[in-house]
Amino acid sequence: MNKLISIDDAVNMIHDGMTIMVGGFLGCKNPFRIVDAIVEKGVKDITLIANDTAFPDIGIGKLIVNKQVKKLIASHIGTNKETGNQMNAGELEVELVPQGTLAERIRAAGAGLGGILTPTGLGTVVAEGKTIIEVDGKEYLLEKPLKADVALIVGAKVDKKGNIRYRKATRNFNPLMAAAADLVIVEADEIVEVGEIDPDDVMTPGLFVDYVVGGNK
Amino acid sequence: MDKNMEKEFIARRVAKELKDGDVVNLGIGLPTLVANFIPEGIEITLQSENGFVGMGPAPKEGEEDPDLVNAGAQYATINPGGTFFDSADSFLIIRGGHVDVTVLGALEVDEKGNLANWMVPGKMVPGMGGAMDLVTGAKKVIVAMNHTAKGSHKILKGCKLPLTAVKCVDLIITEMGVMEVTDKGLVLKEINPEFTVEEVQNATEAKLIISEDLKKMEI
């Protein structure tokens, strides 16, 4: 099965009000072309799940600046002043989640788990309203799974079945998000034929991926 | 000492805490400088929470790779033997106790070892990023910072700002001295000879316990 589609086809599947996960770390690769197309289309009322909101003029930072996001779930917003401005003005709802907890909540959704137990956040505002569970004398916070309608992720080398090889520090949240959404679209730097990536080098199996876009680096 | 010399002095003293073979995570800003002063004969592995170990020095101009940045989005390099991984593995390493030392700055730290370094309500809310996991999971937590902020106390009886974690700090290193968090309170173990004990206490809201074996802070 060939999962290759155009950016236009991909963006036609993104609608107002959707919950969208986007891979990347402070703009160290977002799916730039898909995100730019979402900015152009003007999809609104997005619930965005991402590590951060990059920078105002880079990647998903533009979705914030363009006021397309209604709610944000992220670990860090300090590099995009517009995120803080909209939060303080009451225009954007922001849920800040410790980075490791964010990763595990997404992983839990993809792994079919009902949540995770973590010591991170105990005794802080992160624990407010959450259940504390004691295991063998130690306390943990119950953190619930995070899933999305769509995951938009990035791969360096992707074959037409959606098998992904990441490059350097761009892996971050992408493999976790690939498992945690109903619809998964990967934006590739380079698209190759099936078999061109050694099975030993596949980092996210294509079975998680619905569509592939991009190519030509 | 001017501000830059103070920062370097603090970073050099922090570097002396590191042991051969340690896996270390350095926060953004002053803690990052620690990497420049690792003592000879000591080999450490730097962990970067965005997803790799074996972080090397900043790249030369013209050799930057947009796919390789540190957790502060600055261009980075990876040393031979280093490896990349995803965010779940990165925090498995951090939260699971596989990081020996984490060094980070603070807005406030108190005599119980509570730490506040991620937000000032109504003013600055950058988010906690990986800080809450790092101070919860690392085996040793070192706060490296200036002793006061424009004359205001940062080392307090009790933190007033929202906490990053409870009772997580092991050691505080400033331009004035080295303080260990103990069950009895903060023990001043080393003092910068440019200051008197009285001056250090005056710059500290928490009551300092002066070590019977108080040493000169050396770098």
Side-chain angles (χ1 to χ4, degrees):
Chain A
M1 180 192 167
N2 185 350
K3 297 178 178 176
L4 194 56
I5 59 168
S6 70
I7 299 272
D8 284 346
D9 289 340
V11 170
N12 282 336
M13 290 182 257
I14 314 287
H15 306 295
D16 292 355
M18 275 186 161
T19 298
I20 304 176
M21 280 175 181
V22 185
F25 193 105
L26 295 178
C28 181
K29 289 265 167 82
N30 287 138
F32 293 125
R33 285 174 274 188
I34 305 178
V35 170
D36 281 353
I38 294 172
V39 170
E40 200 173 313
K41 186 182 171 188
V43 179
K44 52 183 195 297
D45 297 329
I46 295 168
T47 295
L48 179 66
I49 302 171
N51 178 60
D52 54 78
T53 47
F55 298 85
D57 56 344
I58 295 177
I60 49 174
K62 299 178 190 174
L63 292 173
I64 300 289
V65 172
N66 211 24
K67 302 197 170 175
Q68 293 174 260
V69 181
K70 157 185 86 170
K71 182 178 179 184
L72 171 71
I73 301 172
S75 82
H76 196 272
I77 58 173
T79 55
N80 189 337
K81 279 211 169 78
E82 185 58 19
T83 310
N85 291 344
Q86 288 180 22
M87 178 177 74
N88 292 334
E91 297 168 0
L92 174 66
E93 185 188 344
V94 177
E95 179 184 345
L96 288 166
V97 180
Q99 203 168 106
T101 301
L102 184 65
E104 284 299 317
R105 289 180 64 189
I106 295 168
R107 196 186 64 85
L113 301 175
I116 57 123
L117 299 177
T118 177
T120 303
L122 281 171
T124 77
V125 294
V126 168
E128 284 173 9
K130 289 178 185 156
T131 306
I132 293 172
I133 293 175
E134 196 180 302
V135 181
D136 294 339
K138 271 193 78 179
E139 287 187 339
Y140 300 89
L141 277 186
L142 171 64
E143 293 278 9
K144 292 181 180 173
L146 259 184
K147 61 179 298 187
D149 299 313
V150 185
L152 304 175
I153 63 171
V154 287
K157 193 180 268 194
V158 181
D159 74 21
K160 290 175 178 173
K161 272 185 134 170
N163 291 304
I164 305 173
R165 187 181 202 283
Y166 303 99
R167 184 170 180 271
K168 300 194 175 180
T170 65
R171 201 177 318 178
N172 53 68
F173 286 81
N174 292 291
L176 311 170
M177 291 176 172
D182 295 333
L183 175 69
V184 178
I185 305 174
V186 57
E187 180 174 315
D189 291 342
E190 182 186 3
I191 295 167
V192 298
E193 294 299 327
V194 173
E196 282 188 50
I197 307 174
D198 188 311
D200 276 339
D201 292 338
V202 172
M203 297 166 181
T204 293
L207 67 94
F208 293 113
V209 174
D210 297 295
Y211 297 105
V212 180
V213 301
N216 299 323
K217 310 247 163 142
Chain B
M1 279 195 278
D2 68 22
K3 282 280 169 216
N4 282 335
M5 281 174 68
E6 272 179 14
K7 279 185 185 167
E8 182 178 323
F9 178 78
I10 297 165
R12 282 183 184 275
R13 179 59 191 82
V14 172
K16 285 180 67 183
E17 290 295 314
L18 305 180
K19 296 182 187 68
D20 195 35
D22 275 353
V23 175
V24 180
N25 185 294
L26 301 175
I28 305 305
L30 192 163
T32 303
L33 298 178
V34 173
N36 301 334
F37 307 116
I38 305 302
E40 209 150 311
I42 302 282
E43 197 180 317
I44 63 160
T45 300
L46 289 178
Q47 202 260 7
S48 190
E49 66 264 29
N50 55 321
F52 61 109
V53 287
M55 183 159 60
K60 294 194 187 84
E61 210 182 315
E63 291 177 16
E64 299 91 348
D65 182 341
D67 288 350
L68 183 46
V69 302
N70 65 18
Q74 298 158 313
Y75 291 117
T77 59
I78 188 163
N79 292 326
T83 61
F84 296 105
F85 32 75
D86 67 40
S87 297
D89 276 354
S90 185
F91 282 86
L92 175 157
I93 291 168
I94 288 168
R95 204 191 309 95
H98 311 286
V99 168
D100 296 295
V101 182
T102 188
V103 184
L104 67 182
L107 296 167
E108 295 175 348
V109 55
D110 72 24
E111 60 190 19
K112 293 187 182 66
N114 297 323
L115 171 69
N117 77 345
W118 71 282
M119 74 175 286
V120 181
K123 280 193 184 155
M124 179 200 73
V125 190
M128 66 293 278
M132 285 191 177
D133 296 285
L134 277 160
V135 299
T136 300
K139 286 188 199 143
K140 182 171 183 175
V141 176
I142 300 176
V143 165
M145 63 174 191
N146 281 107
H147 204 97
T148 57
K150 293 172 188 155
S152 302
H153 289 150
K154 296 180 76 176
I155 305 173
L156 308 177
K157 290 194 171 85
C159 289
K160 295 177 185 78
L161 293 169
L163 294 182
T164 308
V166 175
K167 294 184 184 174
C168 61
V169 176
D170 297 295
L171 203 64
I172 305 166
I173 299 180
T174 74
E175 76 281 11
M176 296 184 112
V178 178
M179 287 137 282
E180 190 180 21
V181 180
T182 71
D183 293 342
K184 296 189 178 71
L186 292 180
V187 177
L188 182 68
K189 298 190 78 177
E190 294 178 27
I191 184 166
N192 180 343
E194 287 185 25
F195 301 98
T196 65
V197 168
E198 195 184 4
E199 283 172 324
V200 180
Q201 179 60 75
N202 287 342
T204 312
E205 189 198 70
K207 174 82 182 130
L208 293 173
I209 301 164
I210 312 305
S211 170
E212 285 173 18
D213 185 28
L214 181 64
K215 289 190 169 68
K216 202 173 104 183
M217 187 176 173
E218 281 175 349
I219 57 171

Short mmCIF file of all heavy atoms in Angstrom, two decimals, chain B residues 133-165:
data_model
loop_
_atom_site.label_atom_id
_atom_site.label_comp_id
_atom_site.label_asym_id
_atom_site.label_seq_id
_atom_site.Cartn_x
_atom_site.Cartn_y
_atom_site.Cartn_z
N ASP B 133 11.06 16.85 36.40
CA ASP B 133 11.51 15.45 36.31
C ASP B 133 12.98 15.33 36.71
O ASP B 133 13.37 14.39 37.40
CB ASP B 133 11.33 14.93 34.88
CG ASP B 133 9.88 14.88 34.46
OD1 ASP B 133 9.17 13.97 34.92
OD2 ASP B 133 9.46 15.75 33.68
N LEU B 134 13.79 16.30 36.27
CA LEU B 134 15.23 16.25 36.56
C LEU B 134 15.50 16.28 38.07
O LEU B 134 16.28 15.48 38.58
CB LEU B 134 15.96 17.42 35.88
CG LEU B 134 16.29 17.16 34.41
CD1 LEU B 134 16.54 18.47 33.68
CD2 LEU B 134 17.52 16.24 34.29
N VAL B 135 14.85 17.20 38.79
CA VAL B 135 15.15 17.32 40.22
C VAL B 135 14.49 16.20 41.02
O VAL B 135 14.91 15.90 42.13
CB VAL B 135 14.77 18.70 40.78
CG1 VAL B 135 15.56 19.79 40.08
CG2 VAL B 135 13.28 18.96 40.70
N THR B 136 13.47 15.57 40.45
CA THR B 136 12.84 14.44 41.12
C THR B 136 13.65 13.16 40.91
O THR B 136 13.77 12.34 41.81
CB THR B 136 11.41 14.22 40.57
OG1 THR B 136 10.64 15.40 40.81
CG2 THR B 136 10.72 13.05 41.23
N GLY B 137 14.26 13.03 39.73
CA GLY B 137 14.89 11.75 39.39
C GLY B 137 16.39 11.68 39.53
O GLY B 137 16.93 10.59 39.75
N ALA B 138 17.09 12.81 39.40
CA ALA B 138 18.56 12.74 39.44
C ALA B 138 19.04 12.35 40.83
O ALA B 138 18.44 12.70 41.83
CB ALA B 138 19.16 14.09 39.04
N LYS B 139 20.16 11.62 40.88
CA LYS B 139 20.67 11.16 42.18
C LYS B 139 21.15 12.33 43.03
O LYS B 139 21.01 12.32 44.24
CB LYS B 139 21.83 10.18 41.97
CG LYS B 139 21.37 8.81 41.49
CD LYS B 139 22.55 7.85 41.48
CE LYS B 139 22.24 6.66 40.60
NZ LYS B 139 23.42 6.21 39.87
N LYS B 140 21.75 13.34 42.39
CA LYS B 140 22.24 14.51 43.13
C LYS B 140 21.80 15.78 42.41
O LYS B 140 21.99 15.90 41.21
CB LYS B 140 23.77 14.45 43.24
CG LYS B 140 24.37 15.58 44.05
CD LYS B 140 25.86 15.32 44.28
CE LYS B 140 26.46 16.41 45.15
NZ LYS B 140 27.85 16.11 45.48
N VAL B 141 21.20 16.69 43.17
CA VAL B 141 20.70 17.94 42.59
C VAL B 141 21.53 19.10 43.14
O VAL B 141 21.57 19.33 44.35
CB VAL B 141 19.21 18.15 42.92
CG1 VAL B 141 18.72 19.50 42.40
CG2 VAL B 141 18.37 17.01 42.34
N ILE B 142 22.22 19.79 42.23
CA ILE B 142 23.03 20.95 42.63
C ILE B 142 22.40 22.22 42.08
O ILE B 142 22.16 22.32 40.87
CB ILE B 142 24.48 20.83 42.09
CG1 ILE B 142 25.15 19.56 42.63
CG2 ILE B 142 25.30 22.08 42.47
CD1 ILE B 142 26.56 19.32 42.07
N VAL B 143 22.12 23.17 42.96
CA VAL B 143 21.67 24.49 42.51
C VAL B 143 22.90 25.37 42.37
O VAL B 143 23.70 25.49 43.31
CB VAL B 143 20.66 25.10 43.51
CG1 VAL B 143 20.48 26.60 43.25
CG2 VAL B 143 19.33 24.38 43.42
N ALA B 144 23.08 25.95 41.21
CA ALA B 144 24.22 26.83 40.92
C ALA B 144 23.66 28.19 40.54
O ALA B 144 22.96 28.32 39.53
CB ALA B 144 25.06 26.26 39.79
N MET B 145 23.93 29.20 41.38
CA MET B 145 23.31 30.52 41.12
C MET B 145 24.03 31.60 41.90
O MET B 145 24.82 31.32 42.79
CB MET B 145 21.84 30.48 41.56
CG MET B 145 21.69 30.24 43.06
SD MET B 145 19.98 30.38 43.60
CE MET B 145 20.22 30.37 45.38
N ASN B 146 23.71 32.87 41.56
CA ASN B 146 24.16 33.98 42.38
C ASN B 146 23.44 33.91 43.73
O ASN B 146 22.28 33.51 43.80
CB ASN B 146 23.88 35.31 41.69
CG ASN B 146 24.91 35.60 40.62
OD1 ASN B 146 24.63 35.50 39.42
ND2 ASN B 146 26.12 35.91 41.03
N HIS B 147 24.15 34.34 44.78
CA HIS B 147 23.61 34.16 46.13
C HIS B 147 22.33 34.96 46.35
O HIS B 147 21.40 34.50 47.02
CB HIS B 147 24.67 34.56 47.16
CG HIS B 147 24.48 33.91 48.49
ND1 HIS B 147 25.14 32.77 48.88
CD2 HIS B 147 23.66 34.22 49.52
CE1 HIS B 147 24.75 32.42 50.10
NE2 HIS B 147 23.86 33.28 50.51
N THR B 148 22.30 36.18 45.76
CA THR B 148 21.10 37.03 45.88
C THR B 148 20.72 37.54 44.50
O THR B 148 21.49 37.43 43.56
CB THR B 148 21.37 38.26 46.78
OG1 THR B 148 22.48 38.98 46.23
CG2 THR B 148 21.69 37.85 48.21
N ALA B 149 19.51 38.08 44.39
CA ALA B 149 19.06 38.69 43.13
C ALA B 149 18.87 40.18 43.39
O ALA B 149 17.92 40.56 44.07
CB ALA B 149 17.77 38.05 42.65
N LYS B 150 19.76 41.00 42.88
CA LYS B 150 19.71 42.46 43.09
C LYS B 150 19.47 42.77 44.56
O LYS B 150 18.60 43.59 44.91
CB LYS B 150 18.61 43.08 42.22
CG LYS B 150 18.91 43.00 40.73
CD LYS B 150 17.71 43.43 39.91
CE LYS B 150 17.94 43.17 38.43
NZ LYS B 150 16.71 43.00 37.67
N GLY B 151 20.18 42.09 45.43
CA GLY B 151 20.07 42.35 46.86
C GLY B 151 18.98 41.58 47.57
O GLY B 151 18.97 41.50 48.80
N SER B 152 18.04 40.99 46.83
CA SER B 152 16.97 40.21 47.48
C SER B 152 17.46 38.79 47.78
O SER B 152 18.17 38.20 46.98
CB SER B 152 15.75 40.10 46.58
OG SER B 152 15.27 41.36 46.27
N HIS B 153 17.01 38.28 48.91
CA HIS B 153 17.37 36.91 49.28
C HIS B 153 16.78 35.89 48.30
O HIS B 153 15.64 36.03 47.87
CB HIS B 153 16.83 36.59 50.68
CG HIS B 153 17.57 37.32 51.76
ND1 HIS B 153 16.98 37.69 52.95
CD2 HIS B 153 18.85 37.74 51.85
CE1 HIS B 153 17.85 38.32 53.71
NE2 HIS B 153 19.01 38.37 53.07
N LYS B 154 17.57 34.88 47.98
CA LYS B 154 17.09 33.75 47.16
C LYS B 154 17.13 32.45 47.96
O LYS B 154 16.49 31.47 47.60
CB LYS B 154 17.97 33.58 45.92
CG LYS B 154 17.91 34.76 44.95
CD LYS B 154 18.81 34.52 43.76
CE LYS B 154 18.17 33.54 42.78
NZ LYS B 154 19.00 33.38 41.56
N ILE B 155 17.96 32.47 49.03
CA ILE B 155 18.06 31.28 49.89
C ILE B 155 17.25 31.58 51.14
O ILE B 155 17.63 32.38 51.99
CB ILE B 155 19.54 30.96 50.21
CG1 ILE B 155 20.33 30.81 48.91
CG2 ILE B 155 19.63 29.69 51.05
CD1 ILE B 155 21.83 30.67 49.09
N LEU B 156 16.07 30.95 51.21
CA LEU B 156 15.02 31.36 52.14
C LEU B 156 14.74 30.32 53.22
O LEU B 156 15.17 29.17 53.13
CB LEU B 156 13.72 31.62 51.35
CG LEU B 156 13.82 32.57 50.14
CD1 LEU B 156 12.47 32.64 49.43
CD2 LEU B 156 14.28 33.95 50.56
N LYS B 157 13.96 30.77 54.23
CA LYS B 157 13.43 29.81 55.23
C LYS B 157 12.40 28.91 54.54
O LYS B 157 12.32 27.71 54.82
CB LYS B 157 12.77 30.57 56.38
CG LYS B 157 13.76 31.31 57.27
CD LYS B 157 13.06 31.74 58.57
CE LYS B 157 14.04 32.29 59.59
NZ LYS B 157 14.32 33.73 59.38
N GLY B 158 11.59 29.52 53.69
CA GLY B 158 10.59 28.75 52.94
C GLY B 158 10.35 29.41 51.60
O GLY B 158 10.18 30.63 51.54
N CYS B 159 10.32 28.63 50.53
CA CYS B 159 10.07 29.21 49.20
C CYS B 159 8.68 29.83 49.17
O CYS B 159 7.74 29.29 49.77
CB CYS B 159 10.16 28.12 48.13
SG CYS B 159 11.82 27.52 47.83
N LYS B 160 8.55 30.94 48.49
CA LYS B 160 7.24 31.59 48.34
C LYS B 160 6.65 31.35 46.95
O LYS B 160 5.44 31.33 46.78
CB LYS B 160 7.39 33.10 48.57
CG LYS B 160 7.81 33.44 50.00
CD LYS B 160 8.03 34.94 50.17
CE LYS B 160 8.57 35.27 51.56
NZ LYS B 160 10.02 34.98 51.66
N LEU B 161 7.50 31.16 45.97
CA LEU B 161 7.04 30.93 44.59
C LEU B 161 6.57 29.48 44.43
O LEU B 161 6.92 28.61 45.24
CB LEU B 161 8.18 31.22 43.61
CG LEU B 161 8.63 32.67 43.50
CD1 LEU B 161 9.92 32.77 42.70
CD2 LEU B 161 7.54 33.53 42.86
N PRO B 162 5.78 29.22 43.39
CA PRO B 162 5.35 27.83 43.14
C PRO B 162 6.57 26.90 43.01
O PRO B 162 7.54 27.24 42.33
CB PRO B 162 4.60 27.93 41.81
CG PRO B 162 4.12 29.35 41.75
CD PRO B 162 5.19 30.16 42.41
N LEU B 163 6.48 25.75 43.68
CA LEU B 163 7.64 24.85 43.74
C LEU B 163 7.85 24.07 42.44
O LEU B 163 6.90 23.78 41.71
CB LEU B 163 7.46 23.85 44.88
CG LEU B 163 7.45 24.41 46.31
CD1 LEU B 163 7.31 23.27 47.30
CD2 LEU B 163 8.71 25.22 46.58
N THR B 164 9.11 23.73 42.21
CA THR B 164 9.47 22.80 41.15
C THR B 164 9.41 21.38 41.71
O THR B 164 8.96 20.46 41.04
CB THR B 164 10.88 23.12 40.63
OG1 THR B 164 10.94 24.51 40.31
CG2 THR B 164 11.24 22.27 39.42
N ALA B 165 9.89 21.22 42.93
CA ALA B 165 9.77 19.95 43.64
C ALA B 165 10.06 20.19 45.12
O ALA B 165 10.65 21.19 45.51
CB ALA B 165 10.73 18.90 43.08
#
